[in-house]
Amino acid sequence: MKREQKLIVFLCVHFLGPVIGEALHDFILILKTCLQPNKDPQMRLKLFTVLSELLQKANETINSQGLFPSYLEIVIKDILAPNLQWHAGRTAAAIRTTAVSCLWALIHCQMLAPEEILKVKDALMPQIIAAMDEDSKISRLMGCRIVGGILKVCGRQFDEIQLGKTYPEVLKRLDDASADVRLTAAHTLTDWFKCLKDSDVKSAMKSHIEFLYQELLIHLDDQDPDTQSAVLEVLKEGSVLYPELLVREVEVAIHKHRTPAYCNQLLHHIQTTREAA
């Protein structure tokens, strides 16, 4: 694309505001053309950054006429998904970060209905899970948030295979260098447990649940009190699934912890919940 054409694209995006919603068809075609992986990386990075800003105020910009939802499948499958694929280099990594930020903006502003997420989740989940292992803290954070958002909206419709593939990378993020990522990962694991409450696939997931209990109890002895508190809340949520199993795991783990305080709080919660039932 010539420099003059690039300038037109950026002027249109920056200054049309709500009018973008009236010229949405042309705008989406521009995005689809300019954001293909074979196009200039710097241009794609700038355009993705602008798109992320627009999506944060979608109803004032690209959805000002209420037409944007009809283009969501194109945006996700033809624009976001190809740019979430891994390629070497700093610019490529920055593009993946802005692309995953755009996807989070779509979910956060509830632009994606449950049926739309179900249609695109199979194409996107591998890239989202991969984003949680990026060098970029923002990518890891957004990846955790997106998985949590998807689980909240339609996680109860996941089968045991999909649920089994979803949590391992989130669990790894409890060891993340960033406190924000660790806490977000904990919230996402809480959402994962909620999907299994009164679910038909709970029994098929028992071995996964047992493994998660064991791993979370290790993190319950984390050196960071905020992480400990967050993991305690995850285990409280998960305790309703197999309380007897969790009690046994706690009794094994408690003697390995530096302090029994959090384990005792968890045991008290399980006992209180049982008595209230």
Side-chain angles (χ1 to χ4, degrees):
M1 180 179 285
K2 295 180 180 179
R3 292 182 64 183
E4 300 82 28
Q5 291 173 305
K6 290 183 187 178
L7 181 61
I8 291 171
V9 171
F10 292 128
L11 286 174
C12 286
V13 171
H14 277 297
F15 295 109
L16 280 178
V19 183
I20 290 180
E22 298 175 12
L24 195 58
H25 179 74
D26 292 335
F27 178 60
I28 295 297
L29 285 179
I30 289 172
L31 291 181
K32 187 176 176 181
T33 301
C34 296
L35 290 175
Q36 291 308 302
N38 61 343
K39 299 297 183 180
D40 177 64
Q42 290 296 334
M43 180 190 69
R44 286 159 56 212
L45 180 57
K46 291 176 183 176
L47 201 49
F48 260 127
T49 301
V50 172
L51 178 60
S52 179
E53 293 172 0
L54 291 173
L55 287 171
Q56 291 172 33
K57 297 181 179 180
N59 290 327
E60 300 170 27
T61 56
I62 52 179
N63 198 40
S64 63
Q65 305 301 308
L67 300 175
F68 186 65
S70 61
Y71 292 94
L72 280 171
E73 193 165 354
I74 294 174
V75 171
I76 291 171
K77 288 188 174 180
D78 298 335
I79 296 173
L80 295 182
N83 287 282
L84 288 169
Q85 296 284 351
W86 191 89
H87 296 281
R90 292 183 179 180
T91 302
I95 288 170
R96 290 194 300 277
T97 298
T98 53
V100 81
S101 297
C102 288
L103 183 57
W104 166 242
L106 284 174
I107 292 173
H108 184 60
C109 69
Q110 299 181 329
M111 194 71 69
L112 283 171
E115 58 271 18
E116 288 160 342
I117 292 178
L118 283 169
K119 280 195 296 186
V120 299
K121 67 176 176 56
D122 290 338
L124 285 178
M125 284 301 284
Q127 288 99 315
I128 297 166
I129 290 171
M132 288 188 282
D133 200 32
E134 290 272 6
D135 290 337
S136 164
K137 169 194 165 181
I138 295 174
S139 287
R140 301 195 307 275
L141 184 65
M142 294 298 170
C144 288
R145 285 178 177 175
I146 291 168
V147 171
I150 290 174
L151 288 172
K152 284 178 183 176
V153 173
C154 59
R156 293 186 67 83
Q157 298 178 60
F158 280 25
D159 60 27
E160 59 266 32
I161 295 174
Q162 293 167 329
L163 285 168
K165 289 180 178 178
T166 302
Y167 76 85
E169 189 61 46
V170 182
L171 179 62
K172 283 172 59 178
R173 292 304 103 213
L174 291 179
D175 283 318
D176 202 275
S178 163
D180 290 340
V181 175
R182 292 197 301 272
L183 296 181
T184 302
H187 294 321
T188 301
L189 289 171
T190 298
D191 294 326
W192 189 88
F193 275 134
K194 286 179 179 178
C195 294
L196 288 166
K197 189 176 180 180
D198 302 319
S199 168
D200 293 337
V201 302
K202 188 181 88 167
S203 59
M205 296 299 297
K206 187 174 181 179
S207 62
H208 292 279
I209 294 167
E210 181 178 11
F211 173 74
L212 259 178
Y213 285 166
Q214 294 166 352
E215 293 297 308
L216 288 167
L217 284 167
I218 293 172
H219 289 286
L220 194 61
D221 195 36
D222 196 280
Q223 293 185 355
D224 174 37
D226 291 336
T227 301
Q228 286 180 292
S229 296
V231 170
L232 177 61
E233 294 308 310
V234 179
L235 283 164
K236 285 180 179 179
E237 184 64 44
S239 69
V240 301
L241 300 176
Y242 290 103
E244 295 85 0
L245 174 58
L246 181 54
V247 168
R248 290 198 298 270
E249 294 295 343
V250 173
E251 289 172 346
V252 171
I254 192 169
H255 305 293
K256 303 173 185 177
H257 284 205
R258 288 165 298 163
T259 170
Y262 284 96
C263 286
N264 286 334
Q265 286 183 52
L266 180 57
L267 290 171
H268 177 72
H269 171 81
I270 295 171
Q271 181 181 352
T272 303
T273 303
R274 281 172 171 172
E275 292 171 353

